[in-house]
Amino acid sequence: MRRVAIIGVGMTKFGEHWERGYRDLVVEAGVKAIEDAGISGEKIDAGFVGTMASGRLIGQEHVGALIADYMGLNPIPVTRVEGACASGGIALRQAYTAVASGVADIVVAGGVEKMTDLDTSGVSDALGGAGDQEWELFMGATFPGLYALMARRHMLEYGTTEEMLAAVAVKNHKHGAKNPYAQYQNEITIETVLKSKIVADPLKVFDCSPITDGAAGVILAPLDIAYSYTKKPIEIVASAQASDTISLSARKSLTEIAATRIAAQKAYKDAKVTPKDIDVVEVHDCFTIAEIMAIEDLGFFKKGEGGKASLEGRTTFGGDVVVNTSGGLKAAGHPVGATGIKQAVEITWQLRGQAEGRQVKDAEYGLSHNVGGSGATAVVHIYKKAY
Amino acid sequence: MRRVAIIGVGMTKFGEHWERGYRDLVVEAGVKAIEDAGISGEKIDAGFVGTMASGRLIGQEHVGALIADYMGLNPIPVTRVEGACASGGIALRQAYTAVASGVADIVVAGGVEKMTDLDTSGVSDALGGAGDQEWELFMGATFPGLYALMARRHMLEYGTTEEMLAAVAVKNHKHGAKNPYAQYQNEITIETVLKSKIVADPLKVFDCSPITDGAAGVILAPLDIAYSYTKKPIEIVASAQASDTISLSARKSLTEIAATRIAAQKAYKDAKVTPKDIDVVEVHDCFTIAEIMAIEDLGFFKKGEGGKASLEGRTTFGGDVVVNTSGGLKAAGHPVGATGIKQAVEITWQLRGQAEGRQVKDAEYGLSHNVGGSGATAVVHIYKKAY
């Protein structure tokens, strides 16, 4: 297995792109990544793209071929992968594997979702496909409802409070306010969150990530040739994925995402690091409770202490580890398939020292954590400054 | 890169499974493949599954995790890939790559589609997502309409006749009649086809593949350890994929699928064989014209001579090469994501000498050809008897 590095990254602003379509977003992010890598498209051997629900959101499947076409990459294979909200992370992992194994040299990994072509109810239906259609969604459970169950249980078992949940949103908006690519660049207060409308008790509007359009792309190459393209290659030192039951009802615990724990353990082992070595993290905060569980399952805090740590400011600048400098899904937005790739873009900027206004000083190791559905899929990548 | 072999195969009967759901079909095919390989599920390191439109057909995305769960494979990663009707072939290719590269040892590749939960109009809409939504489907083109354009052009340029198209369907029904897994096991005549209702002139009902439920699975292993599981490993000696424009209007020619030609050339080169070495072929006959173009683009017949060859019986037993012993998409059925894997199952049975009633004598080399949409994706695999 060869060592693999990121040599180029690019993304669109995340937000409501009423005036632009799926393919416009793809091309903008893709061209930016190619330009950032300083390569020509002909150098690219293969592509992987994460998109969750283009069939239901825009009536378009077969997006691998569509993207190969619109990016001018024909006839190379571009493969769509789908694992709900983890689609982007899975695309990155397939691209990593293709380069690591020697199957391909220069590979692009992308993620994209165009969500605002449908109304909120249509989008909710489409996103519902990430859960267990037969045993959850068909019975009336919504996605916020599933995470609300986890939140209630976390509150019961560990004394987590609604204020602690709110602290996650406040921190992520504070970070997002410094990120020009974020959907929401405004700060909020604990009160904003607590006074916002209830979506699924105890989760309120400001506990939930929004509906977003956006795309992101990264270019990978073997580390040894990466230096001929960039002075600042970022090595991917681990790529791990794990699965859990698709239905919450079959889980042993509602207060952890076991797939996260298993994928993280493998990733730390492969990268030969511990959580203490990580300087900057992007976690999958589709809901505030998800970030609290993530920072526990990833080993940054003990199980049950994630809420308190968030309230005490231990997950922002000056704390134990800086979580979601991009603003996370909450403030940067969550164009489902793009999120896992956006995380890699943000970590790359951080490790290159290019995250202006939100830079974690001397960041050497980064980690990204991308979850599908209510935790049936988790993908963890660890990155290292390689210059 | 390691040599890769198929050590187990399994599939459901293809047809209208009103009484069964997506996950029932997956489990039946998966368990059959695992039993056929004589392994336990714990031996499996990873999985790839091809499903085209589960979001629109059954409201379920995230099917990789669903399948990991229902097959009892947690926590290993199972990744869904989608490339329209080529989803199964792409899943096989990802699984092949995982084993060849050493990323994993025992890998399952599956394909599944549950189509009969929607009415025909709903299914047509979902399948339309394989084409160019913005420039073709939105403008009113249907999938039979796109292939009808290719058929008309082929008739104009090469004198292909409706009778020649019909001959493909007649031959595939004749083969399907001997395949207990086929959706239609009845023979038809040229007249049946010519007198059937027009769908998109010149294509009639009997020129078109049907709506089908079904699933199929294969288990791959490195060739050197394959012998410890089976006395009859079937080696995959080439796996190639190519892309073309998603919209027909952007193609240089309407009478060839360039992606097929490019993928086939690469596959023949990698396998170090020529079309003359191939004994048995499964091609993607979503419409009769598609089989005629395929046998030309794959190099079995010169461009323009595929129709005549079909009418003259050169693509069945006793001819130049036996095409679609399974009955093809036309008679065996076309559960979209499952088709590419079913082709691998059929070729495996042929090369093992287990295709009772439709066995190609002394078959040594096989080829499968899986197309996405109107040809924007093509995947070609070449197989060799390895015992």
Side-chain angles (χ1 to χ4, degrees):
Chain A
M1 300 281 283
R2 302 190 290 183
R3 293 170 71 180
V4 179
I6 295 175
I7 60 167
V9 299
M11 63 182 283
T12 66
K13 182 181 180 304
F14 279 9
E16 294 178 346
H17 290 287
W18 301 105
E19 76 297 357
R20 306 173 70 199
Y22 182 96
R23 46 195 94 185
D24 303 313
L25 298 172
V26 166
V27 169
E28 182 189 330
V31 168
K32 280 179 172 173
I34 286 172
E35 283 180 355
D36 187 52
I39 59 169
S40 69
E42 296 140 29
K43 288 273 184 186
I44 297 174
D45 298 317
F48 293 88
V49 62
T51 282
M52 175 185 165
S54 57
R56 296 180 80 182
L57 294 171
I58 59 166
Q60 180 74 63
E61 311 280 2
H62 207 182
V63 295
L66 179 82
I67 290 171
D69 189 5
Y70 275 73
M71 287 294 298
L73 296 175
N74 283 337
I76 68 159
V78 175
T79 301
R80 174 198 178 183
V81 295
E82 187 272 320
C85 322
S87 300
I90 293 172
L92 180 60
R93 187 162 176 274
Q94 297 306 315
Y96 166 86
T97 303
V99 177
S101 64
V103 170
D105 283 330
I106 310 286
V107 177
V108 57
V112 55
E113 211 83 48
K114 172 66 182 164
M115 304 178 74
T116 59
D117 286 4
L118 283 192
D119 58 17
T120 303
S121 137
V123 173
S124 293
D125 276 358
L127 294 180
D132 188 325
Q133 178 56 233
E134 292 186 16
W135 293 99
E136 291 178 335
L137 289 315
F138 184 77
M139 304 303 175
T142 61
F143 245 81
L146 296 176
Y147 274 93
L149 288 172
M150 297 192 237
R152 274 283 165 227
R153 189 75 207 175
H154 207 278
M155 292 165 83
L156 179 74
E157 284 188 29
Y158 302 113
T160 301
T161 65
E162 296 185 38
E163 201 184 3
M164 292 174 187
L165 297 175
V168 172
V170 170
K171 183 265 294 173
N172 284 345
H173 269 262
K174 193 171 176 184
H175 291 179
K178 304 288 188 186
N179 178 5
Y181 293 89
Q183 180 165 9
Y184 301 123
Q185 299 175 29
N186 62 310
E187 297 199 27
I188 58 171
T189 65
I190 295 272
E191 204 154 64
T192 321
V193 184
L194 294 180
K195 285 194 171 164
S196 65
K197 269 196 203 166
I198 288 178
V199 175
D201 184 58
L203 302 178
K204 302 159 204 81
V205 166
F206 277 87
D207 287 296
C208 307
S209 56
I211 291 171
T212 313
D213 302 324
V218 301
I219 314 278
L220 306 187
L223 180 63
D224 54 3
I225 69 162
Y227 295 98
S228 62
Y229 292 105
T230 174
K231 285 178 185 162
K232 296 186 170 185
I234 303 304
E235 185 177 358
I236 299 179
V237 289
S239 174
Q241 181 183 339
S243 306
D244 197 359
T245 67
I246 189 139
S247 167
L248 268 196
S249 62
R251 305 262 173 92
K252 284 182 188 144
S253 163
L254 285 185
T255 56
E256 73 157 8
I257 302 292
T260 294
R261 186 172 40 75
I262 293 167
Q265 281 166 353
K266 183 167 188 328
Y268 288 131
K269 195 178 156 208
D270 290 352
K272 299 187 184 70
V273 297
T274 70
K276 285 189 180 150
D277 297 310
I278 308 292
D279 304 297
V280 56
V281 186
E282 289 283 310
V283 306
H284 196 91
D285 60 316
C286 47
F287 300 94
T288 48
I289 182 64
E291 175 162 325
I292 289 173
M293 290 194 296
I295 57 178
E296 295 166 352
D297 297 333
L298 292 167
F300 296 113
F301 299 96
K302 279 192 192 153
K303 181 50 70 186
E305 296 183 2
K308 193 158 166 279
S310 298
L311 190 62
E312 289 171 350
R314 294 172 63 190
T315 57
T316 186
F317 293 87
D320 302 28
V321 60
V322 192
V323 178
N324 283 335
T325 53
S326 70
L329 285 60
K330 174 66 201 82
H334 183 28
V336 183
T339 286
I341 301 292
K342 176 218 77 174
Q343 296 178 327
V345 172
E346 176 70 10
I347 296 290
T348 298
W349 282 333
Q350 287 287 348
L351 299 185
R352 283 180 181 173
Q354 296 172 337
E356 217 175 311
R358 61 187 192 285
Q359 179 65 47
V360 175
K361 210 182 154 195
D362 301 328
E364 192 155 336
Y365 279 98
L367 180 149
S368 65
H369 161 255
N370 194 197
V371 169
S374 63
T377 299
V379 188
V380 173
H381 284 91
I382 299 178
Y383 312 76
K384 187 189 174 189
K385 193 169 136 177
Y387 63 91
Chain B
M1 301 281 285
R2 302 190 290 184
R3 294 170 70 179
V4 179
I6 295 175
I7 60 168
V9 299
M11 63 182 283
T12 66
K13 182 180 180 306
F14 279 9
E16 294 178 346
H17 290 287
W18 302 105
E19 77 297 357
R20 306 173 70 199
Y22 181 97
R23 47 195 94 185
D24 303 314
L25 298 172
V26 166
V27 169
E28 181 189 330
V31 168
K32 280 179 172 172
I34 287 172
E35 283 180 356
D36 187 52
I39 60 170
S40 69
E42 296 140 29
K43 289 273 184 187
I44 297 174
D45 298 316
F48 293 88
V49 62
T51 282
M52 175 185 165
S54 57
R56 297 180 80 181
L57 294 171
I58 59 166
Q60 180 74 62
E61 311 280 2
H62 208 183
V63 295
L66 178 82
I67 290 171
D69 189 6
Y70 275 74
M71 287 294 298
L73 295 176
N74 283 337
I76 68 159
V78 175
T79 301
R80 174 198 179 184
V81 295
E82 186 271 321
C85 323
S87 300
I90 293 173
L92 180 60
R93 187 162 176 274
Q94 297 306 315
Y96 166 86
T97 303
V99 177
S101 65
V103 170
D105 283 330
I106 311 287
V107 177
V108 57
V112 55
E113 211 83 48
K114 172 66 182 165
M115 303 178 74
T116 59
D117 286 4
L118 283 192
D119 58 18
T120 303
S121 138
V123 173
S124 293
D125 276 358
L127 294 181
D132 188 324
Q133 179 55 234
E134 292 186 17
W135 293 99
E136 291 178 335
L137 289 314
F138 184 77
M139 304 303 175
T142 61
F143 245 81
L146 296 176
Y147 274 93
L149 288 172
M150 298 192 238
R152 274 282 165 228
R153 189 75 207 175
H154 207 278
M155 292 164 84
L156 179 74
E157 284 189 29
Y158 302 113
T160 301
T161 65
E162 295 185 38
E163 200 184 3
M164 292 175 187
L165 296 174
V168 172
V170 170
K171 182 265 295 173
N172 285 345
H173 269 262
K174 193 171 176 185
H175 292 178
K178 304 288 188 185
N179 178 6
Y181 293 89
Q183 180 164 8
Y184 301 124
Q185 299 176 28
N186 61 310
E187 296 199 28
I188 58 170
T189 64
I190 295 272
E191 204 154 64
T192 320
V193 185
L194 294 180
K195 285 195 171 164
S196 65
K197 270 197 203 165
I198 287 179
V199 175
D201 183 58
L203 302 178
K204 302 159 203 80
V205 166
F206 277 88
D207 286 296
C208 307
S209 56
I211 291 170
T212 313
D213 302 324
V218 301
I219 314 278
L220 306 187
L223 180 63
D224 54 3
I225 69 164
Y227 295 98
S228 62
Y229 291 105
T230 173
K231 286 179 186 162
K232 295 186 170 185
I234 303 304
E235 185 177 358
I236 299 179
V237 288
S239 174
Q241 181 182 340
S243 305
D244 197 0
T245 68
I246 189 138
S247 166
L248 268 196
S249 62
R251 305 262 172 91
K252 285 182 188 143
S253 164
L254 285 185
T255 56
E256 73 157 7
I257 301 292
T260 294
R261 185 172 39 76
I262 293 166
Q265 280 167 353
K266 183 167 188 330
Y268 288 131
K269 195 179 155 208
D270 290 352
K272 300 187 184 71
V273 297
T274 70
K276 285 189 180 151
D277 297 311
I278 308 292
D279 304 297
V280 56
V281 186
E282 289 283 310
V283 306
H284 196 91
D285 60 316
C286 46
F287 300 94
T288 48
I289 182 63
E291 175 162 325
I292 289 173
M293 291 194 295
I295 57 178
E296 296 166 352
D297 297 333
L298 292 167
F300 296 113
F301 299 96
K302 279 192 193 153
K303 181 50 68 185
E305 296 183 2
K308 192 157 166 279
S310 298
L311 190 62
E312 289 171 351
R314 294 172 63 189
T315 57
T316 186
F317 293 87
D320 302 28
V321 59
V322 192
V323 178
N324 282 335
T325 53
S326 70
L329 284 60
K330 174 66 202 83
H334 182 28
V336 182
T339 286
I341 301 292
K342 176 218 77 175
Q343 295 177 327
V345 172
E346 176 71 11
I347 296 290
T348 299
W349 282 333
Q350 286 287 349
L351 299 186
R352 283 179 181 172
Q354 296 173 338
E356 217 175 312
R358 60 187 191 286
Q359 179 66 47
V360 175
K361 209 181 155 196
D362 301 328
E364 192 155 335
Y365 278 98
L367 180 149
S368 65
H369 162 254
N370 194 197
V371 170
S374 62
T377 300
V379 188
V380 173
H381 285 91
I382 299 178
Y383 312 76
K384 187 188 174 190
K385 194 169 136 176
Y387 63 92

